[in-house]
Amino acid sequence: MEAAGLAVGVISLAFTVFQGCVNGLKLLSTAQHFGQDADMIRCLLDIENYRLLEWAEEAGLIGQGPPDPTLQWPLIHDILQQLSRLVNDAAVLRKTYNLEITELLPTDVSAGVVADAAGALHLSSLTQSLARSKSKAMKTKSTALRSEPHLFKRLRWAMVDKDNIRRLTDDIQHFVVRLLGFLDTANRRGVKAMYESLLRHAISASETPDTVRTLEEVSRRSVTADDPDEIRRLARVCEVKLKVMAVDVDSSPLNGAAGQAANAPGASQQRHIVPRGRTAGAALKKKSMLLYRNNGRQLAADREMATYDSQLVIVEWKTVEKAMEARLKYRVEGLAVLLHAPKPPSFHALHCLGFVQDRGKFGFLFTVPSAQGGTSNPTACNPQDLHSLFQESSLRPGLSSRVTLAVSLVETVLELHTAGWLHKAICSQNVLFFLKDEVGRLTPDAEGPFLVGYEFARFDNPLEVSDKPPPDPESDIYRHPLATADIPRPFHKTFDLYALGLVLLEIGTWTALASLLLEAAGVTIEQNDGSRNLAKVNARKQDYLDGDQKGMIMDRLRFSVFETYVECVESLLKGVDVDEEEPGEDPLTLLEHVLQKLQTCQV
């Protein structure tokens, strides 16, 4: 009994010290006079505060559950005390880091700095982005803590040295990582996943090069032994996004007076900073005279095999109206940079050599996978799109292979959205494989899947020019109802998720979407007259997918896959409300949850 009481006392003390750590980190984060590295420092401090709160919930210090009695609370208490001294003791900051912090007098607070009646300081755009990325549950954890009176103090840095303050943030991270080490493997993975999600959301929402550059450095500096690969991968996404932001847009209307206004101090950050000069995008423009198409093979309406400078390539053509050519040129360059840059294994896309411009068209040049790229003969390569593989139901791969295929596509869309891009044309015709089986079977040695069809992809920004694909009944059935309404809505991430859900529906049943819809509508093969029937069926698509008549399609899916897989498909088809996104219910979070659930189905 005495031992139990002692344990409770230690946990109570640990909570008190933990609360001091959280409040101290908040004070440091909101202190003024950080200098030019304010975004970086605040971001690092906010992230460690975030991870500390996540640790506390898993340990049971805050949240619904009781404290975990199996943890070594005396050691935890000691580490929390060291962290508390680090963030609350001005003498420690002065002696160990040569940093001077003083209380800010009311007369020193300049107009416009106070954000609300409580006196919370105005945060940088990056810190606001991180705050927006936190889920409602995360905010609840923070506000559930008792606010100490000293939290309403205002601090300022009287003496700041960049190297020393980064050493301070490294030491804060060290203590937080030590606390995380007390958790069991499953709980550590949970905190790691939440942290990755926070970074991913901030990267996706970032709209200026300075913010992305800061997030890149934050990602690299926050790599730990527990999570090196994922965080490094997010840092690489930042690197690619920076290159895309640096495309040459001299021909864009924003490079005139409007461009200068967009870059003026205090201007809205909805638009990227407009750079000038030759960039990585312009450098990827290739010579059209070296593209040889005569011995090519047509793969789709705008996709063909060809050779460029004696190298076998796949060309995807984007037709552009003359009036739009100058405005869309920068997007073509940005997309080429995105697809040319080194990709993480989870971004399943072909490598882009660059692009050519030829008579009102831009052609993206993609290399074929290395195993088949040693020849310049298009007939030696066997690319097949996923839609064509559905035609032979007898060649359906096993459940494990189909789940792995679904995981690969969800990973790719997640990476694309994290980089801040919308695909806008996800369908099974735009999923490519390179088969080695002459029969056309999807065997384990096939290379793929590769998500292709980026002709209409654009940066996820409401001010971007949005060109729509031409009407086509076979591809229109993958489009979100709001995108095909009489007054279509601007494209949204959730529209990509909807199309992805339909492709996962096809993969689960190994049946083309058109066939599923026509069957649900009672149209037999003899009655089918192609595009006309598809257009009619598309008008009632939602009835077949989520209305009273959805049983046939969803029951068929349930017969073919795990119930978890069905739930993932339904989640993607439902998506999120494009008008009223709730915290924690945004498209990126939904994709992350779907990916985690699908990965549990893999055998």
Side-chain angles (χ1 to χ4, degrees), residues 302-303 316-318 331-332 334-336 338-339 343 346-352 362 364 366 408-409 411-413 415-417 421-426 430-431 449-459 467 469 496:
D302 296 312
R303 186 182 308 133
E316 288 195 337
W317 292 101
K318 176 180 179 64
R331 183 183 301 168
V332 170
L335 184 58
L338 175 74
L339 299 175
K343 302 173 188 63
S346 51
F347 194 170
H348 305 272
L350 295 172
H351 176 69
C352 181
F362 290 99
F364 295 96
F366 296 96
S408 297
L409 293 179
E411 285 179 333
T412 302
V413 177
E415 294 294 347
L416 187 66
H417 284 186
W421 282 77
L422 305 170
H423 188 281
K424 295 184 60 181
I426 296 174
N430 282 334
V431 178
F450 299 100
L451 184 61
V452 295
Y454 292 89
E455 300 99 299
F456 299 97
R458 67 167 173 85
F459 208 82
D467 51 339
D496 270 347

Side-chain angles (χ1 to χ4, degrees), residues 227-471:
D227 54 6
D229 295 335
E230 175 70 15
I231 304 301
R232 286 197 183 99
R233 182 162 59 82
L234 290 175
R236 212 176 318 160
V237 172
C238 290
E239 186 180 338
V240 174
K241 191 166 183 177
L242 276 174
K243 290 180 179 178
V244 173
M245 284 180 164
V247 295
D248 184 358
V249 293
D250 283 339
S251 58
S252 169
L254 286 176
N255 252 341
Q260 295 172 10
N263 288 328
S268 170
Q269 295 300 323
Q270 282 284 350
R271 183 69 193 171
H272 310 316
I273 292 176
V274 181
R276 291 184 178 274
R278 185 170 174 80
T279 62
L284 288 175
K285 186 174 182 179
K286 303 297 183 182
K287 298 177 180 178
S288 58
M289 65 180 69
L290 296 180
L291 182 64
Y292 185 62
R293 304 169 59 189
N294 290 345
N295 65 340
R297 169 183 162 196
Q298 200 72 27
L299 303 177
D302 296 312
R303 186 182 308 133
E304 64 179 335
M305 301 289 299
T307 54
Y308 179 81
D309 198 14
S310 301
Q311 181 179 359
L312 183 62
V313 295
I314 290 177
V315 187
E316 288 195 337
W317 292 101
K318 176 180 179 64
T319 302
V320 178
E321 296 178 9
K322 188 67 176 176
M324 296 291 292
E325 193 173 290
R327 301 186 70 185
L328 294 179
K329 176 176 174 285
Y330 79 96
R331 183 183 301 168
V332 170
E333 292 180 0
L335 184 58
V337 169
L338 175 74
L339 299 175
H340 175 79
K343 302 173 188 63
S346 51
F347 194 170
H348 305 272
L350 295 172
H351 176 69
C352 181
L353 282 177
F355 66 95
V356 295
Q357 188 172 0
D358 185 27
R359 290 175 293 185
K361 288 185 177 183
F362 290 99
F364 295 96
L365 311 178
F366 296 96
T367 60
V368 300
S370 56
Q372 303 189 42
T375 176
S376 60
N377 181 8
T379 61
C381 188
N382 186 23
Q384 296 284 336
D385 64 60
L386 180 60
H387 187 267
S388 66
L389 296 178
F390 293 144
Q391 308 310 312
E392 280 293 338
S393 57
S394 61
L395 303 178
R396 180 172 74 171
L399 178 57
S400 177
S401 297
R402 283 179 281 143
V403 172
T404 299
L405 170 55
V407 166
S408 297
L409 293 179
V410 174
E411 285 179 333
T412 302
V413 177
L414 183 58
E415 294 294 347
L416 187 66
H417 284 186
T418 301
W421 282 77
L422 305 170
H423 188 281
K424 295 184 60 181
I426 296 174
C427 60
S428 54
Q429 292 91 332
N430 282 334
V431 178
L432 209 59
F433 293 89
F434 292 84
L435 306 181
K436 297 181 180 179
D437 187 314
E438 294 181 359
V439 182
R441 185 183 291 107
L442 188 58
T443 55
D445 60 350
E447 299 197 62
F450 299 100
L451 184 61
V452 295
Y454 292 89
E455 300 99 299
F456 299 97
R458 67 167 173 85
F459 208 82
D460 185 14
N461 188 307
L463 299 183
E464 287 282 317
V465 177
S466 187
D467 51 339
K468 293 190 297 185

Side-chain angles (χ1 to χ4, degrees), residues 7-177:
V8 171
V10 172
I11 293 173
S12 178
L13 287 173
F15 175 78
T16 301
V17 180
F18 157 76
Q19 190 170 17
C21 294
V22 172
N23 290 337
L25 281 168
K26 285 181 181 178
L27 271 174
L28 293 183
S29 170
T30 55
Q32 289 191 53
H33 298 179
F34 269 124
Q36 62 181 4
D37 291 312
D39 268 356
M40 168 65 65
I41 298 165
R42 285 197 176 105
C43 186
L44 288 169
L45 291 170
D46 283 348
I47 280 176
E48 293 312 323
N49 204 4
Y50 174 90
R51 293 208 291 186
L52 183 62
L53 286 164
E54 282 293 330
W55 166 81
E57 184 180 44
E58 295 296 341
L61 271 187
I62 58 175
Q64 302 299 320
D68 186 345
T70 65
L71 298 182
Q72 301 177 49
W73 285 105
L75 287 176
I76 289 174
H77 175 260
D78 289 344
I79 294 172
L80 285 170
Q81 278 192 318
Q82 294 177 65
L83 178 58
S84 180
R85 281 196 296 270
L86 196 63
V87 299
N88 288 299
D89 193 331
V92 171
L93 292 174
R94 186 185 313 112
K95 181 178 178 180
T96 309
Y97 304 97
N98 197 29
L99 298 171
E100 189 79 40
I101 191 164
T102 61
E103 187 169 351
L104 190 66
L105 298 176
T107 55
D108 294 329
V109 181
S110 58
V113 173
V114 178
D116 54 35
L121 296 179
H122 173 71
L123 300 180
S124 68
S125 59
L126 175 59
T127 308
Q128 289 175 351
S129 175
L130 284 168
R132 286 196 302 269
S133 301
K134 294 180 183 179
S135 66
K136 186 182 293 184
M138 187 65 242
K139 292 177 181 176
T140 302
K141 295 172 202 170
S142 183
T143 55
L145 295 172
R146 179 168 48 91
S147 295
E148 296 292 338
H150 78 273
L151 194 58
F152 295 103
K153 292 190 302 184
R154 294 289 162 261
L155 301 181
R156 68 179 179 87
W157 293 95
M159 186 166 57
V160 178
D161 177 81
K162 182 170 70 173
D163 292 335
N164 284 334
I165 203 160
R166 291 192 179 189
R167 191 157 57 89
L168 168 65
T169 58
D170 286 344
D171 288 347
I172 291 172
Q173 182 190 80
H174 167 75
F175 287 119
V176 174
V177 170

